[in-house]
Structure formats: structure tokens, C-alpha cells
Amino acid sequence: MQKPALDIQIKTLPNQPGVYQYFDDNDKLIYVGKAKNIKKRVSSYFTKTHDNGKTRVLVRKIANIKHIVVETETDALLLENNLIKKYKPRYNVLLKDDKSYPWICIKNERFPRVFPTRRVFKDGSTYYGPYTSMKTVRTLLDLIKGLYSLRTCNYNLSEEKIEAGKYKVCLEYHLGNCKGPCEDLQSEEEYNEHIVAIHEIIKGNFKDSLSQFKTQMRELAQEMHFEQAQRIKDKIEILENYQAKSTIVNPKISNVDVFSIMSDEGYGYVNFLQLSYGSIIRSHTLEIKKKLDETDLELLELAIIEIRQRFNSASKEVYVPFKVDLGEDLKVTVPQVGDKKKILDLSLRNAKYYRMERFKQVKIVDPDRHANRIMAQMKADLRLPEEPRHIECFDNSNIQGTNPVAACVVFKDGKPSKKDYRHFNIKTVEGPDDFASMEEVVYRRYKRLVEEEQPLPQLIIIDGGKGQLSSALKSLDALNLRKKIAIIGIAKRLEELFYPDDPIPLYLDKKSETLKVIQHLRNEAHRFGIEHHRNRRSKQALNTELETIPGIGEQTVVALMKKFKSVKRISEAKKEDLEKVVGLSRAQKIIEYYKTK
């Protein structure tokens, strides 16, 4: 796939949090950055004047931009950390060292210790994080320490050594920070109950613990220990804003490849996330042109093989949205819930954004391609003899039969052509008769087009069910246009599409672009009709109010409205102000009229 020009890439970037990657002419990664809004941040590189010489050189070398969309700014920070450490881009000066973000470890041992660490080992221990702030880690550990007495020593507290009296309680026991399991003064069962509660606190399920913390704060305040109470309050605020863990880094997930697919009529978009030791280190989306009518399953199986070969992946497990056949040597997992499902959802999110960007790029570079695809799809979905390049949609608008009007909106190549919109005032129908009104406006519209030798539409859409469709057909029959223009009706409630002489309606997929175009047409016709209906009612009310004044005609009303904007202001205006607009005689008549009203 040919890379779009750099300016087009920038225009179509998402306004989402994530990480952006800059590549040079040799497709080498030269910079990784994070952003709350990817498009806004990347655009700033090319619109601002940079004082820093290194940044100016960097911008000159950028030949291609890639990005990974994530859920939060925290995720973006962690992902940036992963990628910089993995690839060490030349122009990144921060986070290049081997410093890692802090984790909380619950050690895999008898009477487990709970402590902060910057290194994760595969030793059976449970690690939570990473955290972007050591302050959050300390606050969590302080909270835990305030609620539960845990040991801090690194003794091997086996049953044999405790029974042999090998250890003695230390100062922490005498300070009340530990209950002395080293001398068998605390049971393993009680200690493990506390560990279970600590797991829940770290995961974010600390409602009960927070309640205890708030109680402690109130007690300190009542005892006049305000400084200590304030410190606890600060910790509570941090905890309430604390985000338990990130999708970006998860030690429970080892070396796996994650694949998801998003497809449309012509292309499939397969996203690949590569995880190494639980950290995302690569994202790539492959666009596949459909040659036949391949299924998502077939496209995904082909893409997985190609992508794994391209990036020399040695992972023994893949996460996918549905079962695929990749041979016996590769474990295939279809996540349903939990952390694995979250990482799969992140992959699908990136596939969707990639597809959206490609659409935007095509619209900029080749606007006809998008229209051609939509027209071909509508022809197939609606079973039409030709592509509906010119579509017209009709809608009636009346309230209890007053001021009945109709609207005709026109779409060309799937887009509104507002200069061709038309209003109709119903002339031959008395009362609220939608069927007769539809028959009148369709007849008037196409009688005029035929007489003026104007091009006819390929498709007419009637906003209404079988009744309105039958009325419109009568007009087409009268004009001998029945077989020359395709016509369908759309019922509002269930989005049913009705065809002439077919009692069974057509139901389109709710996500189909054909239905979206039809709904857009229907909504435009409704809006345009309501707008005209309101204008007529307002004008009628205006005429009733002002034109009943003897000696005040339509031109005088228009002049007054231009000046005063409303009937109320006219009624409250001073004589000299009215006189400037309509003269002394008419101004006097208006003043006298509103005096007697």
C-alpha cells in the first residue's frame, strides 16, 4: 500500500489519546511521543517555529507517521515508555534509560510481604501496575499499612523455622505495625485474609477500606489533630482518582500476538498488537483488498500468517475475536472477559481508526472513489437497475391540516445538493390528507422536470409507508414515468423499505452505508419541510396581526419587520420611530390600532 503524503496523514489523524511514531525515509523509527490529542500534538510540530535545533532537524527528517490509539493519557505514557525502551529512537532523550515505572508486589511466600518494586520477576508473585506516580504507590501502601499489620522482614517464615523458635519479634511488633507471625503470634489464616483484602484494595475495590480511612480522618479531626487529618484527606483524594491498572502493561499476559479485523465491502483491516512480557511493543494495521467475496475468517487467517512472517514473530499464542485455523503449533485464544478481552478491544479500536483515516485520505486524494463505492453499494443493496447518482426524497408537513406543505430534497453522488431543494405549498387538497398531498407534489415536481427537459432522478424515496408510496405511483403513472424511475417508500418506525407491487418490505443492516444515506435523505426532507411549514405559519400570523390595520399593506409590513424584527417591538415602538420607517400617516394608524387593542 502506498503511503499517503505527510500533510494528508496529519489531516486524518484521530483526536484521541495515544502514542505517535515518526519514521524517516528508510522507515526507521526516529521518535516516539505521547499525546492527549494525537492530531493536535503532531500538527504542532509542523505549524510552530521551533527554537530547539534538534527538533527542527527531527521535523525535516519525518517521512511517515504511525500511531496507536489508547483509552487514557496514563496508557499513552506507559506505552510511550515501552516503545522507547524497546527501540531507543535517536531523537528521544527521555525515558531511554532502563528505569521502569513502579509496581506493587505481593510476594509469593508464606506470610506474603507487600512492597514497591521497579523490577518484575516471573516468580509466582502478584504484581500490580505499573503506576505513573510513585506518590500513588506510597499512598496505597500507607493505606494498607494503616489498615492491616503486615511484616516487613525478609525472613523465611516456614512452619519448621517458626516452631524451632529461630526468630524473635522486632521493633515493628512493639510499635504495633506487625502482629509477630515470626513467633507464631498471628495465624496464617488471619494473615491471608488480610492479603485477600489488600488484593481488592489494589485492584480498586477499596470502598470498605476507604470508609475506614475516612472514619480515621474524622476521629483525628475530633481529637484536634488537624495536620494528620489533612494528610489522610490528601491520601483519600489521590486514591479516589487512582486508576487501578493499565491495559498497556499487564504481567499476567506474556508473549502473545493480538489480531482483530474490521471490514467493509471492498477492504479488510487487520490490526496486530505484539506483546512482549506483558508490554505492547508494536502495533501495525494491514489493509487487504478483497478480490472475491472473502469472509472475515479467511482474511484474518491470511493476514495473521503474513504479519507474523513480516515481523518474525515467535509467539506461541495469539488472541483473536473468533476461532481461526493456524495449525497445531500455535495456541489460539478467543478472549471473552477480563484483561485479555481488553487488549483485544484495544486492537479492534485501532483497526477502526485506521479504516476511518483511510476513508478520509481517499476523500482528500480521490473524492470520486468514495462516491463510486457508495453508489455501487446502493445499487446492489436496493436492487436497482443503475447507480442512484441522483436521488430525490419527498416528505409532507402539516399540523391538523393547517398550512400543508411538502419538501423535496436532492442528493447527488450521495451528498446533499441544497441548491436543488424545493418547497411545495399544497394547492388542491383540503384538510390533512397526506396521501393526496403526496400525489399532488410528486405530479407537480416531475411534470415540471419533463416539460423543462431536466434530468430525472434514478431513485425517488417517499417518506412514508405503502399508502404514500401508492399515491406517488399514481402520479408517475399519470406522467408515464412508472418504469423510468425507481421508487421506494421508507416507513419511520422500523426503517422498512417498500417497493411497488411487493408486499414484503426490505430490511437493511442497521450499520449499512446505504441505510445511512437513506436516513440522511429522510431527515433532510423532514427538516426542510418543517422549516418551510414554520415560516408559513409565522407569515400567516404576521399578516393576520399587521395587515388587518387599515392602510397597512404587505410592503409596509416588510419594511417594519426589517427595522423592528418582531410584531411586539412594532406594537411598543414610539410614534417618531415608526414615522421614520413608514411616514406620519401610517405611523399614526399603527399607534391608534394598538391603543384600542
Side-chain angles (χ1 to χ4, degrees), residues 4-5 8 358-369:
I8 295 173
R358 290 295 294 150
F359 278 3
K360 291 176 185 176
Q361 291 165 5
V362 167
K363 282 184 180 181
I364 295 170
V365 177
D366 184 8
D368 291 338
R369 176 180 154 187

Side-chain angles (χ1 to χ4, degrees), residues 138-155:
R138 291 196 188 99
T139 301
L140 271 170
L141 293 175
D142 284 349
L143 170 63
I144 292 164
K145 187 178 178 181
L147 296 174
Y148 304 104
S149 299
L150 301 175
R151 73 175 180 118
T152 56
C153 62
N154 58 2
Y155 297 148

Side-chain angles (χ1 to χ4, degrees), residues 3 49 122 139 143 157 229 248 275 301 354 398 401 455 461 474 476-477 486 506 518 520 540 586 593:
K3 289 182 289 192
T49 302
K122 284 200 165 186
T139 301
L143 170 63
L157 299 185
I248 301 306
L275 278 76
E301 287 178 345
Y354 185 89
N398 70 74
I461 297 175
K474 291 179 184 177
L476 294 186
D477 286 334
L506 173 68
I518 292 174
H520 191 184
Q540 187 181 57
R586 292 191 181 91
Y593 173 80

Side-chain angles (χ1 to χ4, degrees), residues 15-82:
N15 295 298
Q16 299 292 324
V19 166
Y20 54 92
Q21 301 162 278
Y22 293 153
F23 294 81
D24 63 14
D25 289 329
N26 300 317
D27 208 29
K28 182 179 179 181
L29 181 63
I30 57 175
Y31 186 80
V32 174
K34 67 180 182 304
K36 181 179 180 180
N37 182 316
I38 295 174
K39 183 176 183 178
K40 189 175 180 180
R41 182 72 183 99
V42 171
S43 298
S44 71
Y45 278 89
F46 299 89
T47 56
K48 291 181 179 178
T49 302
H50 300 285
D51 296 329
N52 189 306
K54 185 200 74 164
T55 306
R56 290 198 298 271
V57 174
L58 167 64
V59 172
R60 286 200 297 271
K61 288 183 177 289
I62 298 170
N64 188 26
I65 302 168
K66 293 183 181 179
H67 62 80
I68 306 173
V69 175
V70 296
E71 291 285 345
T72 66
E73 291 178 76
T74 300
D75 280 353
L77 178 62
L78 296 171
L79 180 54
E80 179 194 39
N81 180 39
N82 296 346

Side-chain angles (χ1 to χ4, degrees), residues 316-344:
K316 299 297 182 183
E317 184 179 9
V318 298
Y319 297 166
V320 287
F322 43 77
K323 279 290 182 185
V324 292
D325 185 5
L326 300 173
E328 297 180 358
D329 296 333
L330 199 58
K331 181 181 178 182
V332 175
T333 301
V334 182
Q336 301 297 325
V337 294
D339 297 337
K340 295 178 181 180
K341 182 65 166 62
K342 287 180 181 178
I343 204 75
L344 183 63

